[in-house]
Every structure is written in C-alpha cells, then in structure tokens.
Amino acid sequence: MRALVVAHGDAGPIRFADVDEPVPSAGEALVEIRHIGLNFGELNYVHQWPAGAVHGHDAAGVVVRAASDGSGPPEGTRVSVGMAPHAWAQRAAVSSASLGTVPEGVDLADAAALGIAGVTALRVLRKRSLLARNVLVTGASGGVGHFAVQLAALAGARVTALVGSPDRAAGLRELGADEVLTDLAETENRFDLVLDTVGGPLVAQAWSSLAEGGTIHLVGYSSGQETTFPSGALFGFGEPRSIATYGDMAPTSGELTDLLGLMAAGRLSAPVGLRGDWQDVDDAVQALFARKVHGKVVLDVA
C-alpha cells in the first residue's frame, strides 16, 4: 500500500513509499484512511522519527476490521484518528483508545482536522474554570489557535487572539475572539490563562501580562526562538503565577468524542485552511511552512 514516510535530509520531510500492510493487534482496528491532517510540529521535527517510518498522527476514515478484543467501534464506523502513530497511509492499525466515532452530519474531512490541534486546545483549556476569565491565545490563526479561540469562548471566557500579522486575523472574531491583536503591547489586559503556541520572546511578554494566579501553558514553539526573562521578572508578590509545559500523550478517544459532539451540535467548526489531494502533499507542506495556511491542512487520500 502507499504511505507517506519520514524522509531525512534534503528529500524531507516526507515522501511517498510502498509499505507493508499493517497487522493490527487485539486492541487495534484496521482503518481505511480517507483524509489526513497535517501538523507543523510533526513535519518540522522529523528528526525525532526514524527515516522510512510511516508518519503522521491525525486522520479520518472508516473501520474495515474491528479490534478483535471487542474494544472500539464496529466495522463500517466512520472514525476520527487522533495522536495515533503511522496514520498517513491508505490503511492504518489504530488503537481503540485513539479513535472517536464521527456523528452523522459531521464531514469526515473535518474530523481529520481534530487530533493533535483540537485535543491539545481542549486539554489545556480544561485546566481551570474559564467563566468570565481573560484568556490569551497566541498564534491564534493556526490549528490549535482556531480551536482554542472557539473552545475558550464556549466556556465563557473573554478571549484575546494574538496573530503575527493583520492578514492572519480574518475570521477570528466570528469564532469568538473579543479582541484580535498583532502586538501584545496593544492591550492592558491581564490574563488568567495564556495558551502559547509561539514561544520565544513572546513568552516573556505574556508573563508580564499575566494576572495573579495565572498560568502560561506552552504547547508549541513555532518561532524557534529562545525566551529570555529580564532580571527580576520572575519575582513577584501576590498569588503565584506559573508556566506549564505540555506533552500529554494520554489516549484521545474521550476528547475526540467531546469535540465531535460539539461539531455535530454546530457549536465548533473545523479550521480547515487548505484542502487538497495527498498527491500534492509537497505543495501543502511548503504552504504550511511559509505560514500561508490559516488553520489546518487536510488532504484526501486516493
């Protein structure tokens, strides 16, 4: 079967290859993949995976063989695949714990956009009550950012979306952002929670805008820059502020189910900024790296 595999060096980050058919374990379903969802991190840091390995973690498709231990959805079920290894192939063996059943009325391609981006946003925003709280989402035009803006607004937060340029601000107010900024210096708000996907100097800036008891959750570092705090910046009185890292690799089935339920109810939309055929994956990767995509990239599998 055909798959997208890790490619190191100048040929990277991924290439097409013929690979062996997957052999599911007792707790895995065999899924025919219809759509794949690309993420900046897994493409930008391919050195973390062995060359030639089937790549990708997010997809959507149909169960063609249910898990033999009886777990997970039955044959014929439309499913979202989230944070599962080796997903970018025509067929994948997927743990039942990494599958969410796609309800009627939800486009299967939209379900492929969930996975890493949607689950990350949901898990971070569930860390505390957001009702009437000030929430800052950095890199708000990306996949995680689009989901985070919507979910924070649904939870009753006052949402500030921070983007890199005015052209990346489109549509964020419609998703629930109360304020859209291109520079954190444009606001005097103090934030109870910051979901940061950018890293670098922006983290130090966000720290200076953090309310007492607030937390910055670091979920990405797309800037590739270092963070330096001015002398004395990490000292303060009042309720402690904190910076939290993120690397939650727990099973995603529960969160996928919740996110898909919100989509089915019309309360959450998939931020698909580029839709195409997986044969054009090189163009899609270039567009993603060039920051030309607002939201997620979803490609249809032949």
Side-chain angles (χ1 to χ4, degrees):
M1 68 172 183
R2 297 288 283 169
L4 288 166
V5 303
V6 173
H8 293 165
D10 295 338
I14 49 178
R15 62 178 176 83
F16 277 103
D18 292 316
V19 300
D20 294 336
E21 292 282 343
V23 180
S25 65
E28 294 179 328
L30 183 63
V31 179
E32 180 183 272
I33 302 298
R34 303 283 179 82
H35 313 278
I36 60 174
L38 306 189
N39 296 287
F40 178 83
E42 64 202 347
L43 293 165
N44 197 45
Y45 308 113
V46 290
H47 61 276
Q48 298 179 6
W49 291 273
V54 176
H55 203 25
H57 299 82
D58 295 345
V62 177
V63 175
V64 293
R65 189 190 311 157
S68 61
D69 67 357
S71 64
E75 180 180 332
T77 303
R78 300 191 314 149
V79 291
S80 175
V81 177
M83 292 191 191
H86 318 307
W88 294 351
Q90 290 176 308
R91 286 166 292 283
V94 184
S95 168
S96 300
S98 298
L99 293 174
T101 299
V102 180
E104 290 296 326
V106 175
D107 191 313
L108 198 57
D110 288 345
L114 290 174
I116 291 174
V119 170
T120 295
L122 182 62
R123 285 179 172 173
V124 168
L125 295 173
R126 279 179 165 173
K127 296 295 184 182
R128 67 175 303 171
S129 171
L130 299 181
L131 185 61
R133 301 281 190 178
N134 285 332
V135 172
L136 171 66
V137 179
T138 74
S141 62
V144 175
H146 268 80
F147 280 122
V149 167
Q150 294 179 80
L151 292 170
L154 282 174
R158 296 182 292 264
V159 184
T160 298
L162 185 66
V163 295
S165 60
D167 67 302
R168 299 188 68 82
L172 289 172
R173 287 190 180 275
E174 290 75 11
L175 293 180
D178 297 284
E179 191 172 26
V180 182
L181 308 175
T182 58
D183 188 337
L184 203 50
E186 297 171 4
T187 182
E188 296 182 356
N189 285 343
R190 306 279 286 181
F191 300 102
D192 302 290
L193 184 147
V194 177
L195 188 153
D196 176 61
T197 68
V198 179
L202 184 55
V203 177
Q205 295 173 28
W207 178 261
S208 68
S209 297
L210 198 62
E212 285 190 17
T215 303
I216 299 176
H217 289 271
L218 307 177
V219 306
Y221 50 104
S222 61
S223 72
Q225 297 176 292
E226 296 183 355
T227 301
T228 301
F229 290 91
S231 176
L234 298 180
F235 177 82
F237 296 101
E239 189 177 352
R241 296 174 291 163
S242 61
I243 297 176
T245 59
Y246 178 86
D248 193 341
M249 298 302 293
T252 57
S253 180
E255 286 89 355
L256 288 173
T257 297
D258 291 340
L259 292 165
L260 288 163
L262 289 171
M263 292 176 72
R267 303 181 68 193
L268 182 71
S269 63
V272 179
L274 175 62
R275 175 87 181 270
D277 190 286
W278 79 332
Q279 299 293 342
D280 300 320
V281 66
D282 290 341
D283 292 338
V285 170
Q286 290 179 19
L288 190 61
F289 283 175
R291 301 291 196 273
K292 295 181 179 179
V293 181
H294 297 186
K296 288 294 300 281
V297 175
V298 173
L299 302 180
D300 305 332
V301 177

